[in-house]
Amino acid sequence: MVQFNRRTFLSLTAGLAFTPLTRSLAAVPNRPPLRKHDPFTFLFITDTHLQPELNANAGCHSAFLKARAVPADFAIQGGDHVYDALGVNAGRANMLMDLYKRTADDLTLPVHHTIGNHDCFGVYTKSGAQPTDPLYGKKYFEDQFGQLYYSFDHKGVHFVVLDSIGITDDRMYEGRIDAQQIGWLSRDLAAQPKGTPIIIVTHIPLVTAIEDYDARSTKPEKHHGISVVNAYEVLPLFDTYNVIGVLQGHTHIVERVEWHGVPYITGGAVCGNWWHGTRLGTPEGFMVVDVDNGILKTRYETYGFQSVEPKNT
């Protein structure tokens, strides 16, 4: 039996198949009865890490062709569209984004975008970029996709897309939801009709158990980048609303952790192990999400990509 020595979770399932949440969020204290909504399906497609190397463009093309064959209302891109804008010059960063946008035309679905850490331009000093560059940092993402965090509604369900990337003073990144965004999130949730089902999207996970089963680096990390370092400031906001699920990217694994009645679902990666095969047993793929009666039922779809340089983990 695996023991989790830093956190106690209500339940944890890691793997390629999930069972739906079987009890109402209203059973958790302080949550109102669920407001009715229409059923629908959408796609959660995260960590494409598009690049011309390792047949990544062909891989994304195959993934998107399979994705568009799934009857779905829209897609959410969970971040890390390209690999990599953090540490390259403007010419390379712009080439990667152009490649992503051309390939993404294959989806033929409305797409809502989430910023990932690799979607920030020139942050690493090795890029040669300066903070005065008009594309620096998150401006690279904003110019292509719009707002860094926002919300929208679909068939009676309220979606909130967060910016989980904190750019540090020493030109690195960490997982963080800043104070301004937490204030906005609090107001956005409070503005919804009582009992509205809510789905949260974040690139860097708010809740994950990956540090308990992934091998740790022998070199201490200067910044906490594997999960949102101040998640403790965000999670209490969900206790009095009907948050029926949180979708996450970044770690390239398929994982489901439940905390306070909310499933935190990490959606794998289109690129798998950065186009080198499986990542901790998770192959290249994307997630199909069915939403019905306040429950998220997910399945992970692979698309048959064969790495030209396998480094499976």
Side-chain angles (χ1 to χ4, degrees):
M1 178 179 292
V2 179
Q3 294 182 341
F4 301 104
N5 56 8
R6 293 195 302 280
R7 303 180 182 93
T8 300
F9 297 108
L10 296 179
S11 66
L12 169 64
T13 302
L16 298 186
F18 295 129
T19 55
L21 193 63
T22 55
R23 64 190 182 94
S24 171
L25 286 172
V28 178
N30 302 320
R31 290 196 174 104
L34 189 74
R35 189 181 178 94
K36 290 184 178 180
H37 69 88
D38 294 330
F40 62 94
T41 297
F42 70 96
L43 307 179
F44 185 58
I45 300 174
T46 189
D47 293 85
T48 47
H49 284 275
L50 198 56
Q51 60 182 39
E53 298 80 17
L54 297 173
N55 280 347
N57 54 337
C60 275
H61 175 73
S62 296
F64 291 163
L65 287 182
K66 182 167 184 179
R68 79 181 189 188
V70 178
D73 289 5
F74 59 90
I76 296 177
Q77 212 286 358
D80 282 358
H81 297 64
V82 302
Y83 192 71
D84 161 81
L86 281 168
V88 300
N89 61 34
R92 169 79 179 184
N94 287 329
M95 178 274 291
L96 291 173
M97 187 57 72
D98 288 344
L99 182 60
Y100 173 82
K101 297 193 86 170
R102 290 198 305 272
T103 308
D105 287 342
D106 294 333
L107 266 177
T108 64
L109 278 172
V111 181
H112 302 277
H113 296 273
T114 313
I115 188 171
N117 48 296
H118 291 286
D119 299 326
C120 300
F121 165 65
V123 174
Y124 294 166
T125 54
K126 68 179 182 179
S127 68
Q130 298 300 316
T132 54
D133 190 294
L135 289 180
Y136 182 78
K138 298 178 183 182
K139 192 66 166 56
Y140 174 75
F141 175 91
E142 288 180 284
D143 280 1
Q144 298 295 332
F145 303 116
Q147 294 173 290
L148 297 173
Y149 55 89
Y150 57 95
S151 61
F152 65 94
D153 299 295
H154 186 75
K155 293 185 175 178
V157 176
H158 186 66
F159 285 79
V160 179
V161 179
L162 298 176
D163 167 13
S164 57
I165 315 304
I167 297 177
T168 62
D169 291 340
D170 59 350
R171 296 184 63 170
M172 300 291 286
Y173 77 88
E174 64 180 0
R176 181 174 294 277
I177 310 293
D178 64 28
Q180 181 177 340
Q181 187 177 177
I182 290 174
W184 170 85
L185 175 60
S186 180
R187 294 188 298 273
D188 184 81
L189 295 176
Q192 305 314 309
K194 190 173 182 179
T196 297
I198 297 167
I199 295 173
I200 308 290
V201 180
T202 175
H203 178 67
I204 297 180
L206 286 165
V207 174
T208 177
I210 191 171
E211 290 178 288
D212 290 303
Y213 53 77
D214 189 19
R216 300 183 186 184
S217 172
T218 56
K219 181 181 179 181
E221 298 289 340
K222 187 174 182 181
H223 299 288
H224 188 79
I226 199 67
S227 62
V228 172
V229 69
N230 65 325
Y232 63 88
E233 295 181 312
V234 180
L235 302 186
L237 294 177
F238 302 161
D239 284 346
T240 55
Y241 299 99
N242 283 334
V243 177
I244 62 174
V246 177
L247 294 172
Q248 312 174 133
H250 190 55
T251 60
H252 299 209
I253 59 170
V254 173
E255 178 191 60
R256 183 181 185 127
V257 177
E258 188 179 316
W259 173 249
H260 283 201
V262 177
Y264 292 78
I265 301 167
T266 307
V270 169
C271 74
N273 191 28
W274 290 268
W275 301 109
H276 288 293
T278 59
R279 159 75 166 150
L280 297 179
T282 299
E284 304 86 354
F286 59 89
M287 191 162 278
V288 180
V289 185
D290 296 316
V291 188
D292 191 7
N293 196 29
I295 295 172
L296 268 63
K297 183 177 180 181
T298 63
R299 70 179 188 271
Y300 192 64
E301 293 280 353
T302 58
Y303 58 94
F305 181 78
Q306 298 294 316
S307 174
V308 297
E309 191 178 319
K311 298 177 183 178
N312 296 321
T313 63

